[in-house]
Amino acid sequence: MNAAAPDQKPPMTDACDLVVVGSGAGGLTAAVVAARLGLSVAVLEKAGRFGGTTAWSGGWLWVPGNPLAREAGIAEAPGAPMRYLRSVMGPAADEDPRIARYLETAPEMVDWLRRHGAMEWIDGNSVPDFRDLDGAVAGGRSVCARPVDGRSLGPLIDRLRPPLGVISLAGMGLAAGADMRHFFNATRRPASLLHVARRLARHGRDLLRHRRAMQLVGGNALAARLLRAASEAGVDLRAGTGVADLLRDGARVTGVRLEDGRELRAARGVVLATGGFPHAPDLQERLFAPAAARGHRSAAPRENTGAGLRMAERAGARLRSDLVHGGAWAPVSLVPDGQGGHYHFPHLVDRARPGIIAVRGAGERFCNEAGSYHAFMSALFEATPEGAAAECWLIADHRAQRRWGLGWSKPFPFPLAPYRRAGYLVSGRTPAELAARCGLDGEVLTATIARFNAAAQRGDDPYFGRGRNRYDRVQGDPERRPNPTLGPLERGPFHAVRLVPGSLGTFAGLDCDAEARVRDAAGRPIPGLFAAGNDMASIFGGHYPSGGITLGPAMTFGFIAAHAAARRDGAAPATANASGDLHETV
């Protein structure tokens, strides 16, 4: 046989049962489960490292009735999760069959991954739902991956996306809960100082020996555990491998064409899990409201440009544009990268700290700052006049900034001068001086702070109800009484960071059924095409009931897609026996 001409790519002759495009939690879960069910699986990731948005996330999943909660004696009242979703979504909660399937299958997915050694979990039994509505709970619906030593991945650790640098401490991720509290209390408590000293010493050794963090927490730990499980299950893991299009035989999807022209056939189909479209302005114009699309700056990886949605549309798929919100909104601030561009810092928890408020317009507050990041941005969109930029300022007095930090500007003992020189942090000796430097009205901002302070001294926010629900209070300072989220802004200098519209990912996406099968414009499943993660339209219709409602469905429908792909044509559904081997139900 003659060799290919120098300007030609040799044909890819390999094939497998299932191709997964994307390596976040949804894609890796599909790959791990399908491989354990007996399928040959390839994961294709266009970035140079695996993990997708998951590796940058907090790593939490919202799973009502999960086994860790049950083992802790936390029992869900019958129908409580659906009552809560109806409280948030209205009648739409009963109209999408994927919701009932999710509530039924998500606990099974969590248990399956644990039983088959793919995952070790920690509970979130003290993490409340976002809103105090009928069916909400004070805790017991959240799980997260247990932290893991990166050295246990062997050479795979070099193929894992590191934590989001702009929110880490020299590349070291901080886990929500006790770990983060220790860092905030390091200058206040000897036990916390010891914890921080040990963490920093270990991290320093890891940087010298491995050039990256090895104490993996949150989403980085979740991605690491799934990546290791995929490798152990024999999944073909290919980073730096972009996919150009889907292969089809009639209506059936039969594989993928790579960006280099080679082809990879997939006998059982393709799972799209490419992370949605947080960095695709053209799709945002189609699927976001104008206020959200204008100047959008997502905190998700820049590789997430809607590739999965575009390929699916060319195969006849329908994009859902009827969601209440097209994205998982989050305020971000712009951190200079030293090359004329910016990193995007997501403000997820600092808004709820005592001594910090947000203002827009001339200097007025516009919402409950301690609410969820999605609710914060939704309120900002609503308060912004049509055609204006949905921007605001996050403001702290000196005591609050030194205690909690403000976005990228870290708390004591880190100096403030570098953040000021970079143009990130704006400071003024008085509220009026700060207002002048931020383009606000000095009298308005001074009056806003005075009103806020008078009520905060009493532990009350009569204007927006800050700190009145459970989620607000968990985000605040537990030592602050009577309201953990409220404290006056009194001590100058005063500091501010500009916030702009952003997201943690997208909600609009491919129309799918309860088997994770992508549907066409007529509502018919496209044979051989599945979706998971942010490529699938949110099962909650663009609502944000609680933290973890992205990763929970991503992994659950990855789990469902793997089982659907493993079914043999014309036979009963395939399931896994105790060892994970494929067998057919009868």
Side-chain angles (χ1 to χ4, degrees):
M1 179 181 291
N2 294 328
D7 59 345
Q8 294 178 329
K9 296 286 187 183
M12 177 178 279
T13 57
D14 55 339
C16 61
D17 291 322
L18 187 68
V19 167
V20 178
V21 187
S23 66
L28 287 177
T29 299
V32 170
V33 176
R36 291 300 299 267
L37 291 174
L39 303 188
S40 57
V41 184
V43 171
L44 310 181
E45 169 58 60
K46 75 175 179 180
R49 295 182 180 181
F50 298 103
T53 308
T54 300
W56 281 1
S57 73
W60 288 97
L61 289 69
W62 189 73
V63 182
N66 71 74
L68 281 76
R70 293 198 305 267
E71 290 159 11
I74 300 174
E76 289 272 11
M82 184 57 84
R83 289 204 316 277
Y84 178 60
L85 293 176
R86 291 188 188 111
S87 299
V88 174
M89 299 173 60
D94 294 296
E95 295 170 0
D96 191 334
R98 294 178 302 163
I99 292 180
R101 184 68 186 277
Y102 173 68
L103 294 176
E104 174 188 7
T105 309
E108 177 188 351
M109 176 272 298
V110 168
D111 187 55
W112 193 98
L113 290 175
R114 183 174 63 169
R115 286 190 295 106
H116 290 88
M119 190 63 57
E120 292 183 33
W121 302 102
I122 56 175
D123 69 73
N125 290 342
S126 62
V127 179
D129 289 325
F130 275 176
R131 300 173 66 182
D132 288 351
L133 300 172
D134 181 37
V137 296
R141 291 177 176 168
S142 299
V143 296
C144 188
R146 184 176 298 280
V148 63
D149 188 333
R151 293 173 295 184
S152 67
L153 274 70
L156 273 177
I157 187 63
D158 295 325
R159 304 175 70 189
L160 174 69
R161 184 188 294 272
L164 178 58
V166 74
I167 65 172
S168 69
L169 185 58
M172 179 178 68
L174 302 182
D179 187 36
M180 189 173 292
R181 286 195 296 272
H182 279 306
F183 274 84
F184 284 129
N185 289 322
T187 60
R188 299 157 59 90
R189 291 188 177 82
S192 292
L193 179 60
L194 181 61
H195 172 90
V196 169
R198 288 172 173 168
R199 284 275 268 135
L200 291 174
R202 162 70 191 278
H203 183 60
R205 291 195 300 270
D206 288 342
L207 290 180
L208 288 173
R209 296 174 183 174
H210 307 286
R211 299 191 300 279
R212 64 154 292 158
M214 288 290 172
Q215 299 166 286
L216 310 184
V217 301
N220 215 240
L222 178 63
R225 289 185 179 277
L226 288 171
L227 184 63
R228 183 176 64 186
S231 178
E232 292 171 349
V235 174
D236 182 2
L237 297 165
R238 307 183 188 183
T241 305
V243 176
D245 212 347
L246 299 171
L247 301 177
R248 285 178 283 162
D249 182 2
R252 177 175 290 277
V253 172
T254 59
V256 297
R257 179 177 294 108
L258 305 185
E259 290 179 347
D260 63 11
R262 297 180 296 164
E263 295 181 353
L264 176 58
R265 299 285 172 173
R268 300 297 181 90
V270 174
V271 179
L272 295 175
T274 67
F277 58 98
H279 294 284
D282 60 327
L283 289 173
Q284 291 168 13
E285 288 294 327
R286 287 175 56 189
L287 302 171
F288 283 0
R294 187 181 299 113
H296 187 81
R297 311 292 185 95
S298 180
R302 296 184 187 274
E303 293 87 357
N304 298 0
T305 55
L309 277 61
R310 300 178 205 277
M311 287 187 281
E313 274 201 297
R314 290 194 291 270
R318 171 179 175 252
L319 284 184
R320 290 274 306 274
S321 59
D322 58 339
L323 281 65
V324 175
H325 296 284
W329 310 137
V332 302
S333 55
L334 304 181
V335 178
D337 64 6
Q339 300 176 348
H342 295 91
Y343 302 113
H344 302 161
F345 185 102
H347 289 255
L348 305 184
V349 297
D350 55 356
R351 297 167 290 100
R353 308 301 193 190
I356 296 175
I357 62 170
V359 302
R360 64 158 308 279
E364 308 96 343
R365 290 178 69 215
F366 59 91
C367 73
N368 165 18
E369 297 93 341
S372 75
Y373 33 89
H374 184 77
F376 180 92
M377 281 308 305
S378 298
L380 180 57
F381 291 144
E382 185 175 347
T384 301
E386 184 176 354
E391 299 179 355
C392 65
W393 291 88
L394 196 63
I395 295 177
D397 76 348
H398 193 64
R399 177 171 48 194
Q401 197 290 329
R402 295 286 72 194
R403 176 79 170 87
W404 306 109
L406 195 66
W408 181 53
S409 68
K410 294 179 174 58
F412 179 84
F414 293 90
L416 296 180
Y419 307 113
R420 290 172 175 149
R421 284 197 300 268
Y424 178 80
L425 189 71
V426 180
S427 301
R429 291 171 299 171
T430 65
E433 184 175 290
L434 179 68
R437 293 176 178 174
C438 296
L440 303 172
D441 185 300
E443 292 185 1
V444 172
L445 181 61
T446 300
T448 294
I449 290 176
R451 283 194 301 271
F452 177 84
N453 287 352
Q457 295 280 16
R458 304 190 302 268
D460 186 30
D461 177 18
Y463 312 103
F464 297 101
R466 177 167 159 179
R468 291 180 186 172
N469 75 22
R470 289 183 293 241
Y471 177 79
D472 291 7
R473 294 192 290 273
V474 166
Q475 303 304 312
D477 179 1
E479 299 178 2
R480 183 82 189 182
R481 296 289 186 271
N483 189 326
T485 75
L486 292 177
L489 286 73
E490 298 174 319
R491 183 177 301 173
F494 297 84
H495 309 286
V497 171
R498 185 170 68 99
L499 305 185
V500 300
S503 68
L504 302 182
T506 50
F507 282 157
L510 298 172
D511 182 27
C512 297
D513 66 11
E515 294 294 311
R517 299 178 298 185
V518 178
R519 298 195 288 202
D520 64 17
R524 298 169 301 204
I526 298 174
L529 187 59
F530 306 90
N534 288 347
D535 281 355
M536 173 189 282
S538 168
I539 69 173
F540 301 115
H543 295 275
Y544 212 132
S546 197
I549 56 92
T550 299
L551 284 175
M555 295 180 67
T556 300
F557 283 96
F559 179 82
I560 289 170
H563 281 84
R567 294 174 188 143
R568 301 185 186 281
D569 290 343
T575 60
N577 61 23
S579 64
D581 299 325
L582 184 68
H583 72 276
E584 292 179 3
T585 57
V586 295

